[in-house]
Amino acid sequence: MSLYSVVVPVYNSEHTLEELYERLKNVFESTIHEEFELILVDDSSRDNSFSVMEKLHKKDSRVKIIQLAKNFGQHPALLCGFSYASGDFVITMDDDLQHPPEELPKMIGTLKEREDVDVIIARYAGRKHNLIRRIGTRISVYATSKMLHKDPNLEITSFRLMRRFIVDAILSTDTHLPQIGNLLVQTSNRIINVDVQHDARKFGHSNYTFRHLAHDLIYDITTNSAFPLLVVRDIGIVSFFLSIILALYYLIRFFAFGVSVQGFTTTVLLILGYNGLILLGIGIIGEYLMHVLDEAKKMPNYIVRKKEL
């Protein structure tokens, strides 16, 4: 009999944790008939989430609870959960009940049937996210497929089932704030999607605002690709050759026809435009340098404040 570790990052989810536990317990005991452990990682919630987690731990020893010292984010919380997971397979899912535990038998059954597959990633049939989240997801999928040379038809979501050696490989990666989805693509090409139901949120609203999505996209691009630098480089090259062509053009006009160059407004606009481009290039380089600095600091991705295992 296999052991499945279900890792759930928790943030302000006091109203959903008990239902999540009960549904997981029912699915594993009544349908899957396998052993499981539930690892809840509190990412410094502002509500009573950790108190609910403590009650669940006292109720069932299979529930492991960890509280982080500050809000580190979803991916560091998952890394923390991975380090305490002891299962043969590891499942990641959200705490808001949008990932139905009842869909797990489908994912587990597929992995059992497919020995050639290392990771199952849920593909949502009818997303219940808002418009901004859906647009952001599409842009992120396109960008990561280009950066990581992955199949553009492979959707990366946070509802996953992984073999143990994949999790061990992720834990061995010594990098600052790694993105789990990107690491999966870099670790194995034996990843497939399985269609699952995606439920609407019962409580609250998503913490992923447009600002968060934009920040994550910029972080993904600047940590996995030199694309912005290459764009600025190419613009610079094109601008250089255009300047030579224009210089020759105006010289010929001046010496052949005596036409002088006029246009104070054009000169000002060109200066402003190219100064803006230069500052943009400096900003992009600064973004890359900050990533290098973060890596050099070797700051921990998470700090555990309290745990009950």
Side-chain angles (χ1 to χ4, degrees), residues 50-66:
F50 193 70
S51 297
V52 177
M53 290 163 57
E54 289 179 315
K55 292 179 182 178
L56 292 175
H57 174 69
K58 292 177 181 177
K59 179 180 180 180
D60 190 336
S61 61
R62 293 175 296 184
V63 180
K64 300 179 179 180
I65 61 173
I66 304 161

mmCIF file of all heavy atoms in Angstrom, residues 50-66:
data_model
loop_
_atom_site.group_PDB
_atom_site.id
_atom_site.type_symbol
_atom_site.label_atom_id
_atom_site.label_comp_id
_atom_site.label_asym_id
_atom_site.label_seq_id
_atom_site.Cartn_x
_atom_site.Cartn_y
_atom_site.Cartn_z
ATOM 1 N N PHE A 50 -4.383 28.814 11.805
ATOM 2 C CA PHE A 50 -3.503 27.907 12.529
ATOM 3 C C PHE A 50 -4.212 27.248 13.711
ATOM 4 O O PHE A 50 -3.940 26.093 14.039
ATOM 5 C CB PHE A 50 -2.250 28.632 13.027
ATOM 6 C CG PHE A 50 -1.180 27.689 13.495
ATOM 7 C CD1 PHE A 50 -0.483 26.897 12.599
ATOM 8 C CD2 PHE A 50 -0.882 27.571 14.847
ATOM 9 C CE1 PHE A 50 0.492 26.011 13.028
ATOM 10 C CE2 PHE A 50 0.094 26.687 15.287
ATOM 11 C CZ PHE A 50 0.783 25.897 14.375
ATOM 12 N N SER A 51 -5.151 27.938 14.324
ATOM 13 C CA SER A 51 -5.935 27.337 15.411
ATOM 14 C C SER A 51 -6.766 26.174 14.880
ATOM 15 O O SER A 51 -6.872 25.118 15.527
ATOM 16 C CB SER A 51 -6.849 28.389 16.044
ATOM 17 O OG SER A 51 -6.088 29.414 16.643
ATOM 18 N N VAL A 52 -7.346 26.353 13.704
ATOM 19 C CA VAL A 52 -8.101 25.262 13.079
ATOM 20 C C VAL A 52 -7.169 24.106 12.752
ATOM 21 O O VAL A 52 -7.513 22.929 12.943
ATOM 22 C CB VAL A 52 -8.810 25.771 11.803
ATOM 23 C CG1 VAL A 52 -9.530 24.626 11.098
ATOM 24 C CG2 VAL A 52 -9.796 26.890 12.144
ATOM 25 N N MET A 53 -5.978 24.422 12.264
ATOM 26 C CA MET A 53 -4.992 23.389 11.943
ATOM 27 C C MET A 53 -4.606 22.605 13.196
ATOM 28 O O MET A 53 -4.457 21.370 13.156
ATOM 29 C CB MET A 53 -3.760 24.034 11.311
ATOM 30 C CG MET A 53 -4.008 24.572 9.907
ATOM 31 S SD MET A 53 -2.742 25.753 9.318
ATOM 32 C CE MET A 53 -1.253 24.783 9.479
ATOM 33 N N GLU A 54 -4.449 23.278 14.327
ATOM 34 C CA GLU A 54 -4.111 22.594 15.576
ATOM 35 C C GLU A 54 -5.216 21.637 16.000
ATOM 36 O O GLU A 54 -4.946 20.520 16.477
ATOM 37 C CB GLU A 54 -3.849 23.621 16.682
ATOM 38 C CG GLU A 54 -2.545 24.392 16.495
ATOM 39 C CD GLU A 54 -2.308 25.420 17.588
ATOM 40 O OE1 GLU A 54 -3.271 26.153 17.919
ATOM 41 O OE2 GLU A 54 -1.180 25.496 18.103
ATOM 42 N N LYS A 55 -6.466 22.041 15.817
ATOM 43 C CA LYS A 55 -7.599 21.158 16.153
ATOM 44 C C LYS A 55 -7.594 19.911 15.270
ATOM 45 O O LYS A 55 -7.842 18.794 15.738
ATOM 46 C CB LYS A 55 -8.908 21.923 15.979
ATOM 47 C CG LYS A 55 -9.114 23.040 16.987
ATOM 48 C CD LYS A 55 -10.429 23.773 16.724
ATOM 49 C CE LYS A 55 -10.620 24.926 17.698
ATOM 50 N NZ LYS A 55 -11.868 25.686 17.425
ATOM 51 N N LEU A 56 -7.298 20.103 13.980
ATOM 52 C CA LEU A 56 -7.258 18.965 13.061
ATOM 53 C C LEU A 56 -6.118 18.017 13.419
ATOM 54 O O LEU A 56 -6.268 16.796 13.329
ATOM 55 C CB LEU A 56 -7.100 19.460 11.620
ATOM 56 C CG LEU A 56 -8.294 20.218 11.025
ATOM 57 C CD1 LEU A 56 -7.948 20.764 9.640
ATOM 58 C CD2 LEU A 56 -9.521 19.315 10.941
ATOM 59 N N HIS A 57 -4.983 18.559 13.839
ATOM 60 C CA HIS A 57 -3.846 17.721 14.221
ATOM 61 C C HIS A 57 -4.176 16.896 15.466
ATOM 62 O O HIS A 57 -3.821 15.704 15.547
ATOM 63 C CB HIS A 57 -2.625 18.592 14.486
ATOM 64 C CG HIS A 57 -1.449 17.838 15.023
ATOM 65 N ND1 HIS A 57 -0.731 16.938 14.265
ATOM 66 C CD2 HIS A 57 -0.887 17.832 16.275
ATOM 67 C CE1 HIS A 57 0.235 16.414 15.012
ATOM 68 N NE2 HIS A 57 0.166 16.931 16.226
ATOM 69 N N LYS A 58 -4.842 17.503 16.429
ATOM 70 C CA LYS A 58 -5.227 16.776 17.643
ATOM 71 C C LYS A 58 -6.265 15.702 17.328
ATOM 72 O O LYS A 58 -6.302 14.646 17.961
ATOM 73 C CB LYS A 58 -5.769 17.750 18.677
ATOM 74 C CG LYS A 58 -4.712 18.693 19.244
ATOM 75 C CD LYS A 58 -5.325 19.694 20.215
ATOM 76 C CE LYS A 58 -4.262 20.652 20.758
ATOM 77 N NZ LYS A 58 -4.851 21.679 21.654
ATOM 78 N N LYS A 59 -7.084 15.967 16.339
ATOM 79 C CA LYS A 59 -8.132 15.037 15.946
ATOM 80 C C LYS A 59 -7.586 13.847 15.167
ATOM 81 O O LYS A 59 -8.077 12.721 15.294
ATOM 82 C CB LYS A 59 -9.178 15.788 15.113
ATOM 83 C CG LYS A 59 -10.326 14.948 14.606
ATOM 84 C CD LYS A 59 -11.284 15.828 13.803
ATOM 85 C CE LYS A 59 -12.458 15.031 13.264
ATOM 86 N NZ LYS A 59 -13.386 15.888 12.478
ATOM 87 N N ASP A 60 -6.550 14.102 14.339
ATOM 88 C CA ASP A 60 -6.019 13.058 13.458
ATOM 89 C C ASP A 60 -4.508 13.257 13.330
ATOM 90 O O ASP A 60 -4.047 14.292 12.837
ATOM 91 C CB ASP A 60 -6.688 13.163 12.079
ATOM 92 C CG ASP A 60 -6.379 11.966 11.187
ATOM 93 O OD1 ASP A 60 -5.351 11.299 11.408
ATOM 94 O OD2 ASP A 60 -7.167 11.709 10.251
ATOM 95 N N SER A 61 -3.752 12.261 13.770
ATOM 96 C CA SER A 61 -2.287 12.368 13.742
ATOM 97 C C SER A 61 -1.735 12.376 12.331
ATOM 98 O O SER A 61 -0.554 12.696 12.122
ATOM 99 C CB SER A 61 -1.660 11.208 14.530
ATOM 100 O OG SER A 61 -2.022 9.959 13.950
ATOM 101 N N ARG A 62 -2.550 12.027 11.359
ATOM 102 C CA ARG A 62 -2.095 12.066 9.966
ATOM 103 C C ARG A 62 -1.991 13.496 9.447
ATOM 104 O O ARG A 62 -1.418 13.725 8.373
ATOM 105 C CB ARG A 62 -3.041 11.269 9.071
ATOM 106 C CG ARG A 62 -3.044 9.780 9.330
ATOM 107 C CD ARG A 62 -4.090 9.063 8.507
ATOM 108 N NE ARG A 62 -5.445 9.482 8.876
ATOM 109 C CZ ARG A 62 -6.561 8.942 8.364
ATOM 110 N NH1 ARG A 62 -6.462 7.979 7.454
ATOM 111 N NH2 ARG A 62 -7.752 9.368 8.758
ATOM 112 N N VAL A 63 -2.518 14.436 10.202
ATOM 113 C CA VAL A 63 -2.450 15.850 9.814
ATOM 114 C C VAL A 63 -1.206 16.472 10.443
ATOM 115 O O VAL A 63 -1.092 16.575 11.663
ATOM 116 C CB VAL A 63 -3.712 16.619 10.261
ATOM 117 C CG1 VAL A 63 -3.598 18.092 9.850
ATOM 118 C CG2 VAL A 63 -4.963 15.990 9.666
ATOM 119 N N LYS A 64 -0.253 16.857 9.621
ATOM 120 C CA LYS A 64 0.950 17.550 10.078
ATOM 121 C C LYS A 64 0.764 19.046 9.837
ATOM 122 O O LYS A 64 0.319 19.455 8.763
ATOM 123 C CB LYS A 64 2.187 17.061 9.321
ATOM 124 C CG LYS A 64 2.470 15.573 9.478
ATOM 125 C CD LYS A 64 3.697 15.171 8.662
ATOM 126 C CE LYS A 64 4.012 13.695 8.825
ATOM 127 N NZ LYS A 64 5.206 13.298 8.020
ATOM 128 N N ILE A 65 1.115 19.857 10.825
ATOM 129 C CA ILE A 65 0.913 21.299 10.672
ATOM 130 C C ILE A 65 2.222 22.045 10.907
ATOM 131 O O ILE A 65 3.006 21.696 11.779
ATOM 132 C CB ILE A 65 -0.194 21.824 11.612
ATOM 133 C CG1 ILE A 65 0.182 21.587 13.070
ATOM 134 C CG2 ILE A 65 -1.519 21.163 11.293
ATOM 135 C CD1 ILE A 65 -0.790 22.230 14.059
ATOM 136 N N ILE A 66 2.429 23.066 10.094
ATOM 137 C CA ILE A 66 3.641 23.880 10.158
ATOM 138 C C ILE A 66 3.220 25.345 10.033
ATOM 139 O O ILE A 66 2.371 25.681 9.206
ATOM 140 C CB ILE A 66 4.613 23.519 9.013
ATOM 141 C CG1 ILE A 66 4.944 22.024 9.040
ATOM 142 C CG2 ILE A 66 5.879 24.363 9.093
ATOM 143 C CD1 ILE A 66 5.496 21.491 7.747
#
